[in-house]
Amino acid sequence: GQSLEQPSEVTAVEGAIVQINCTYQTSGFYGLSWYQQHDGGAPTFLSYNGLDGLEETGRFSSFLSRSDSYGYLLLQELQMKDSASYFCAVRDKGNFNKFYFGSGTKLNVKP
Amino acid sequence: EAGVAQSPRYKIIEKRQSVAFWCNPISGHATLYWYQQILGQGPKLLIQFQNNGVVDDSQLPKDRFSAERLKGVDSTLKIQPAKLEDSAVYLCASSRSGGAENTQYFGPGTRLTVL
């Protein structure tokens, strides 16, 4: 089976840096994705790690360590619009098009 | 490029009634997903189609849920009869088959309330 753990809620101030962690236990792992979801909105893709290391996309970066079954999403120069829920999702090794989503981390950005 | 379309956006029904949701994926996307998202939780995969064939429906409650994608394009998800615990947002997503990232594009969802 698949199990993902994320903190339920994180609070940070505008302009700061925040890290959202994701640990997973899986029977077959291929990669880790991150999605953002604003209240009442649809999840939107942020980043994907297929290999160990850091992937950078603008203010957002994502990191993966396969040996530690661990990844994180790093958000820099936080803006109010970053207030949203962030989900990590494990890509299944047996079915490359299948993802298991974590329960999400609600990020509150304060002025 | 048009996004994933879903209808209706909201639906309120009483328990034991039936309901159907419709999804039109992004043109050319072979893979279509239906997810259930209960408030405060992550999306849970119900069923995955590749073209018009089912790839994974291991978490679909088949005694009450059914889904089809007859022509490999749009899809419908049906619940019959509905239970109180089916209250959730039903998200449809699509993706190109394979690919390095397999980005999933989500529709706006249908918020179902079962009374």
Side-chain angles (χ1 to χ4, degrees):
Chain A
Q2 313 284 350
S3 172
L4 294 92
E5 284 194 22
Q6 303 179 234
S8 59
E9 194 164 353
V10 172
T11 299
V13 297
E14 209 172 2
I17 299 173
V18 72
Q19 178 174 313
I20 297 174
N21 298 322
C22 174
T23 57
Y24 58 87
Q25 289 183 316
T26 175
S27 55
F29 178 85
Y30 196 76
L32 189 72
S33 292
W34 288 92
Y35 283 79
Q36 177 193 61
Q37 186 178 32
H38 287 97
D39 283 348
T44 57
F45 174 81
L46 290 177
S47 186
Y48 175 75
N49 292 78
L51 301 174
D52 283 0
L54 194 68
E55 292 285 339
E56 297 181 76
T57 309
R59 295 188 296 115
F60 294 178
S61 303
S62 59
F63 173 82
L64 175 65
S65 168
R66 288 170 173 264
S67 60
D68 295 322
S69 297
Y70 164 74
Y72 66 71
L73 179 70
L74 191 73
L75 298 85
Q76 303 182 72
E77 301 173 16
L78 280 174
Q79 301 175 10
M80 297 298 292
K81 67 178 182 179
D82 297 330
S83 291
S85 291
Y86 293 84
F87 297 90
C88 59
V90 164
R91 189 177 188 182
D92 189 75
K93 188 174 184 179
N95 175 355
F96 293 164
N97 294 326
K98 183 175 184 178
F99 288 80
Y100 296 91
F101 283 78
S103 55
T105 298
K106 187 169 178 59
L107 172 64
N108 302 303
V109 180
K110 298 193 170 182
Chain B
E1 170 176 79
V4 176
Q6 289 189 247
S7 67
R9 292 294 314 277
Y10 305 91
K11 190 74 177 179
I12 300 174
I13 62 173
E14 295 190 351
K15 60 182 179 183
R16 291 189 288 273
Q17 286 187 322
S18 63
V19 64
F21 314 127
W22 174 82
C23 171
N24 192 24
I26 292 173
S27 177
H29 281 193
T31 309
L32 185 147
Y33 312 81
W34 283 102
Y35 289 90
Q36 179 192 60
Q37 187 175 26
I38 293 172
L39 187 65
Q41 298 182 18
K44 171 190 164 185
L45 180 67
L46 293 175
I47 189 166
Q48 174 192 346
F49 291 95
Q50 182 75 14
N51 297 309
N52 61 349
V54 175
V55 176
D56 189 306
D57 62 357
S58 57
Q59 297 189 93
L60 186 74
K62 298 180 185 65
D63 58 335
R64 298 184 301 105
F65 286 65
S66 64
E68 60 183 13
R69 193 185 184 198
L70 291 176
K71 297 182 180 178
V73 181
D74 56 351
S75 175
T76 55
L77 175 70
K78 297 179 182 178
I79 308 175
Q80 181 179 7
K83 293 185 175 182
L84 296 177
E85 59 260 36
D86 299 331
S87 293
V89 175
Y90 290 85
L91 294 163
C92 178
S94 69
S95 68
R96 292 186 180 85
S97 186
E101 299 175 343
N102 193 262
T103 301
Q104 295 188 39
Y105 297 86
F106 285 82
T110 298
R111 184 176 298 275
L112 174 67
T113 303
V114 182
L115 302 175

